[in-house]
Every structure is written in C-alpha cells, then in structure tokens.
Amino acid sequence: MSMLSLLDYAGVAVFAATGALSASRKQLDIIGYLFFGAVTGIGGGTLRDLILGQAPVFWVRDPTYLVITTAAAIAVFLSANRFESRYRLLLWLDAAGLALFCVMGAEKGLAATGSPLLALVTGILTATFGGILRDLLAGEPSVLLRPEIYISAALTGSALFVLSLAFGAAPWLALLSGALVAFLVRGGALKFGWTLPTGRAKPGRDPDVVMPPRRRDDQQET
C-alpha cells in the first residue's frame, strides 16, 4: 500500500471519528454515529472529486473508505463515554484530519489539473468541508466561526506541499512536511489562541432592527 493510500485512509478515519464524537455529544443511536462518521469522513473528498469531474467519486470506486468510516464510528460508539471532554478531543482530531486532508486534496488536485492554484483550492476544500457538514448537521457552532486559525492552517499545509514539489522535494517528504506544518499551525491555534487580524467594521445589527417584521410583510404583499 502506498503512502498516499495510507494517508488518505488515515484522514478518513480521523474525520469519521470527529463525526461520531458529534453524534455522541447529541446522544444519538448507533445509526446516527454511522451517518455522522460517513458524512464527515468522506464529505470533503466527495466535493473535491465532483469539482474535479472525477466520477464515480473515490468511495464508490473503493468501498474500503466506507468500511473505515463504519469502523471508526463503532469504535467511538463503544468508547466515547470514557473521555472527559469530547469536544476538546473532537477539535484535536479535527486538526489531525485537516492536516492529512489538506495535502491529500492538494496532491489530487495537482495530479488532475496540473495547476498549483487549483491544488490549493482542492486542498482547502478537502480539509474543511467534512467538518463544516458535521457541525451543520449537529447544530453546533461551525468550526469556521471559532476565532482560532483554521482555514489558514489548511492553506499553509497545501502551499508547503505544492512549493516543496516545485523545488524538487520527494513526494513523500512534501506530503509529510505539509501535513506536519498544517497540524502545528492548527494545534498552535488551539493551544495558544493564534488568530489572524479581524475586520474593524462594527458587528452586524439584528435584521429585525434594520427591517422590522411589519415593514417586511408590507413589502412582500406589494
């Protein structure tokens, strides 16, 4: 089995575990665990393949991915009650999955298109979309709305992978270095609260203040 396959399987397993942890926080049944695990584990890669026009998508070509998400979800179902802080574990596993998927997504985007820019896009989408779906389905605040660096970590890992290849690094070294840096950036953000500068605009006002319900109803009638 190649390093690419190992990293891909590992990323799916880690992200599937975060989805199952969300199901645990919501006290769902085993089917809920399996569903959340699958959606989170394969969501980002599915979007990547659809954008690249690769059909059928990766988990249809290789059902092993579904076996991995199922195994990860069952493992969490049997052990989640042993963890004192499931959300903290979820965030750290999410950081590991992001690190693995940003380089895998970039590698597949680069192989399919030959474009470094598109490789960055597919790296970021692969690394973040599964987590976005997980939080949306669970009704949790999206990981994108947390103040710490998130997307930038995926961008950093993807960019380092692409640059390493451009400067002649071995593919395995480019993959590992990109994943490691992405994890260190995201891990540092979680541990030390690293953030990027935010906009100085005032917070958005409540829509009912800007446009009261009665006024909106009148406009709809006209």
Side-chain angles (χ1 to χ4, degrees):
M1 186 178 298
S2 68
M3 178 176 291
L4 287 175
S5 297
L6 285 174
L7 289 178
D8 211 14
Y9 288 150
V12 168
V14 170
F15 260 139
T18 71
L21 282 171
S22 285
S24 172
R25 283 168 52 81
K26 296 299 180 180
Q27 298 183 310
L28 302 182
D29 59 23
I30 183 61
I31 300 302
Y33 279 70
L34 296 176
F35 177 75
F36 270 72
V39 167
T40 311
I42 65 178
T46 299
L47 178 63
R48 175 200 64 223
D49 284 1
L50 291 175
I51 290 175
L52 294 176
Q54 296 182 349
V57 294
F58 71 104
W59 53 269
V60 176
R61 297 193 302 269
D62 182 5
T64 304
Y65 290 99
L66 294 180
V67 176
I68 291 172
T69 63
T70 300
I74 292 174
V76 172
F77 179 78
L78 296 174
S79 62
N81 62 333
R82 301 181 182 181
F83 299 105
E84 181 178 352
S85 177
R86 286 168 293 176
Y87 191 62
R88 184 183 302 275
L89 177 62
L90 185 155
L91 289 175
W92 281 99
L93 287 177
D94 185 84
L98 178 144
L100 293 169
F101 267 9
C102 72
V103 293
M104 290 305 306
E107 189 279 332
K108 293 189 177 183
L110 189 62
T113 67
S115 168
L117 178 59
L118 292 180
L120 297 182
V121 173
T122 55
I124 293 171
L125 290 178
T126 306
T128 60
F129 190 66
I132 294 171
L133 285 177
R134 175 197 65 218
D135 295 340
L136 179 65
L137 291 172
E140 298 273 12
S142 174
V143 70
L144 293 179
L145 300 181
R146 290 181 59 85
E148 308 94 2
I149 290 172
Y150 187 70
I151 291 179
S152 299
L155 174 61
T156 302
S158 300
L160 181 58
F161 166 75
V162 172
L163 287 174
S164 297
L165 288 182
F167 282 97
W172 67 267
L173 181 59
L175 286 167
L176 291 182
S177 59
L180 178 60
V181 167
F183 181 76
L184 290 176
V185 172
R186 178 57 180 157
L190 289 174
K191 186 172 180 60
F192 303 111
W194 294 345
T195 62
L196 294 176
T198 58
R200 296 184 178 181
K202 296 180 179 179
R205 291 182 291 172
D206 189 298
D208 287 338
V209 174
V210 179
M211 192 173 185
R214 182 183 299 277
R215 183 181 170 190
R216 285 185 294 182
D217 294 341
D218 292 342
Q219 286 191 0
Q220 289 177 358
E221 292 177 2
T222 59

